[in-house]
Each structure stands twice: as structure tokens, then as C-alpha cells.
Amino acid sequence: MDKFFHVEDIGDLSKALAEAKQVKETPFAWKHLGENKTIMLVFFNSSLRTRLSSQKAALNLGMNPVVLNIGQDSWKLETEMGVIMDGDKSEHLREAIPVMTSYCDLIGIRSFAGLTDREYDYNETVLNQFIEFGCKPVISLESATVHPCQAFADLITIEEYKKTKRPKVVMTWAPHPKALPQAVPNSFAEWMNAADVDFVIAQPEGYELDPRFAGNARIEYDQMKALEGADFVYAKNWSCPGVTNPADYGKILSKDMGWTVDAAHMAVTNNAYFMHCLPVRRNMIVSDEVIDAPTSLVIPEAANRVVSAQVVMKRMLESL
């Protein structure tokens, strides 16, 4: 494995889930793979779970993790080609990437969408430069359009807690005060479409995900109808993906608090588990009573971020 961006990069999902179970049970069994190896974790944006889980996964495999916070620990980096660098950015990715990859064996990149230029974001301009100008396996630690480590951890969690062979999984949009990227919902949809689940996306008009991610999911504009009989409820905000109207890309089209997941919403489910990638805005995305209930999986879900990252790193090390 030389890159991890999409669900197809992990291969057979049943094998990946079996491997995740094994890794979770014996996390230190492959420390020999990472001996004398270094992973560089490059963050253009803030992080808590991604940074900590990636470092922990690397240490479990015997690797040395090196963390670089762009603009804080390094020069500000220019990401666009052909520009005159007369502003506040002192170094270009064209030079920085080969330097960074010369210091490591694997590299993980976190770089959010700008939410102003859809083409720039959906072409994964930053992430793809690490492939073009680097020479080491690349992991997306959340990019402009995808967050595969999170989606893999979500699937591991669903596999652990499901009560039926083919559970109903509903991803519902929820309100947020800021415009957020589509990376988490994109990846969650991509992975759920590949898994053996009954997958539904509930959203207001105008929030349609790019078809390459929404896939064959059932789209429902009536949230309560979508939640009926759900086994898992995954709440997440995203800004307008600009599919039907590119001019609206990155905009907030709704702040309807009626979409906040509360006890009334969960009452129509099949005693569903609640999921969210965190961080979460309480009483906007989800009410206190739902996120604090015994059926909330947000902490086990976050813990599985170590497992998903470790499976990916393990496979990359085995491919070196």
C-alpha cells in the first residue's frame, strides 16, 4: 500500500476488519515492522484525535513519529504553482515535500478544504503534490475531500456494536455555526456504500454530496422519516458541496435547529447508537441527553482511531 485516501485503497473490507480486530487485541505484535523507521505527520490544520491516534499507532508499531505543524513549527508554505511569492509564505511545497520525505519512511498529511474554490479542493491539490513531489507512502489524515482514517474507525465501531447482520445506518446533517468541509461525510458515505449496511443520508435541500461519494445511498430530505428504525445514527454538519449550484460551494444554506439530534429524534430509531467524529458542538449537532446516553459511541469510536491508523501503517510498512 503506497497511499490511503479512499476505501478501495484498503482492499477487501472483511479482511481489513478482521485485521483491525487482531490489531486491537494485540497492538504490540508488529513492533518489529517499525524498528528504525520514521513517520512524519504534517498538520496544516489543528488536530486532537488524529494527531494523538496517529502518534500512538506509530509507537505501537515501533516507529518514531515526527510531528510538524505548518506555519508554527515551520515556514508558511505556498501550495499553488506559478505564483509570485511576494507574500507571507517563505517556502513552496515543491521544495518542502522532497525535503520532508527524505527524512521519513511514511508521511501523513492533514490539510483542510479552503471552501472557496471547489475545483482546487476537489482536485486534492495539496495532497496530490505530496504524491507528485515526494517518494514515500502517503496517508490522508483528513484532506480537502476525504478523511479515510475516521471512516475506517467508524466502520470498525459499527462492526463491533451491530446487533443485526445488516444494520440500518443513517448519516444525518445537523446545524453548525461555521461552514465545515465535506471530508468526513464524504468518506463516511464512501465507506458505508462499500460495507454491508442499509445506508441512508438525511439532509436539507442543497446539501447533496458529490455523487462519487454519495454513491448508491438513499437520500432523504425528511430527517424523522430517515431515522425510523435506524440502528446507528451518525450526525455531522457539512457546508454546501456545490453539486447542484457551484456558486454555493462552502456556504451555509441552513441553520435549522430542528435538525439537532435530540431524544425525540432517537425515539423513532431502533434504540440506535449515536455516533459523531468529534469535536462536537453540544446542543447544536446533538443534545446533551443523547451524547451522554449509554448508547453514545463517540468515545469508543475515537479510541478506534488508533486501530484504523495502525492497520494502515502496518500495511504500508509491510509493503516497504
Side-chain angles (χ1 to χ4, degrees):
M1 182 189 292
D2 61 0
K3 64 182 178 66
F4 183 62
F5 302 164
H6 299 288
V7 66
E8 58 263 28
D9 296 328
I10 204 70
D12 186 292
L13 275 183
S14 61
K15 291 181 180 178
L17 288 168
E19 189 172 348
K21 183 179 180 181
Q22 191 178 17
V23 163
K24 191 167 185 176
E25 291 172 350
T26 57
F28 308 112
W30 297 273
K31 288 191 70 129
H32 61 283
L33 290 175
E35 187 177 5
N36 300 323
K37 297 289 195 302
T38 298
I39 183 169
M40 185 170 290
L41 306 171
V42 181
F43 290 88
F44 288 82
N45 304 96
S46 300
S47 175
L48 190 153
R49 276 149 297 278
T50 298
R51 175 170 175 166
L52 296 178
S53 62
S54 299
Q55 287 181 276
K56 175 61 175 170
L59 291 168
N60 286 352
L61 289 166
M63 276 193 290
N64 299 308
V66 175
V67 177
L68 181 66
N69 296 297
I70 300 299
Q72 298 177 40
D73 303 329
S74 74
W75 304 110
K76 289 185 178 180
L77 296 180
E78 179 59 64
T79 61
E80 297 190 46
M81 300 298 290
V83 299
I84 297 173
M85 292 178 57
D86 60 354
D88 64 342
K89 296 176 180 176
S90 305
E91 188 166 5
H92 201 286
L93 274 182
R94 180 65 182 86
E95 290 76 55
I97 290 170
V99 170
M100 287 188 278
T101 56
S102 73
Y103 299 151
C104 64
D105 301 281
L106 310 178
I107 190 164
I109 312 299
R110 183 178 180 92
S111 178
F112 291 170
L115 295 180
T116 56
D117 185 334
R118 190 180 195 280
E119 183 179 6
Y120 183 88
D121 288 343
Y122 272 71
N123 283 337
E124 288 290 6
T125 306
V126 172
L127 198 62
N128 282 324
Q129 287 185 71
F130 279 87
I131 295 176
E132 183 179 357
F133 303 131
C135 54
K136 301 295 166 63
V138 179
I139 303 170
S140 170
L141 301 177
E142 187 172 0
S143 60
T145 66
V146 293
H147 196 352
C149 289
Q150 179 65 54
F152 187 16
D154 295 334
L155 181 58
I156 292 167
T157 307
I158 289 170
E159 185 69 15
E160 289 177 336
Y161 284 88
K162 69 181 183 181
K163 298 174 183 177
T164 60
K165 184 177 180 181
R166 192 170 189 268
K168 180 178 179 180
V169 179
V170 178
M171 178 173 71
T172 178
W173 179 92
H176 196 281
K178 296 172 62 178
L180 298 184
Q182 299 100 46
V184 169
N186 280 347
S187 280
F188 188 77
E190 184 182 54
W191 284 68
M192 290 303 108
N193 279 316
D196 188 17
V197 301
D198 176 14
F199 182 49
V200 181
I201 301 175
Q203 67 201 25
E205 295 278 354
Y207 282 93
E208 293 79 11
L209 296 177
D210 191 296
R212 77 185 90 168
F213 299 110
N216 296 321
R218 297 207 318 274
I219 308 300
E220 181 58 68
Y221 298 100
D222 183 329
Q223 186 188 30
M224 296 299 281
K225 181 179 177 182
L227 292 172
E228 289 176 1
D231 299 295
F232 294 88
V233 175
Y234 195 101
K236 185 71 180 79
N237 174 268
W238 62 93
S239 61
C240 176
V243 173
T244 55
N245 186 0
D248 285 337
Y249 174 64
K251 292 183 179 179
I252 297 174
L253 303 182
S254 173
K255 288 186 179 180
D256 184 355
M257 294 293 287
W259 284 75
T260 300
V261 178
D262 59 17
H265 289 84
M266 297 299 285
V268 303
T269 70
N270 183 28
N271 195 29
Y273 289 107
F274 175 81
M275 300 179 69
H276 189 277
C277 61
L278 301 182
V280 66
R281 299 278 183 138
R282 283 174 173 253
N283 301 308
M284 282 210 72
I285 298 288
V286 58
S287 67
D288 288 334
E289 60 189 341
V290 171
I291 196 171
D292 291 332
T295 48
S296 173
L297 297 181
V298 296
I299 303 305
E301 186 182 356
N304 278 332
R305 288 293 307 280
V306 176
V307 181
S308 64
Q310 189 168 337
V311 171
V312 172
M313 293 176 192
K314 172 180 174 289
R315 290 191 174 191
M316 287 185 166
L317 289 170
E318 290 170 337
S319 300
L320 292 178

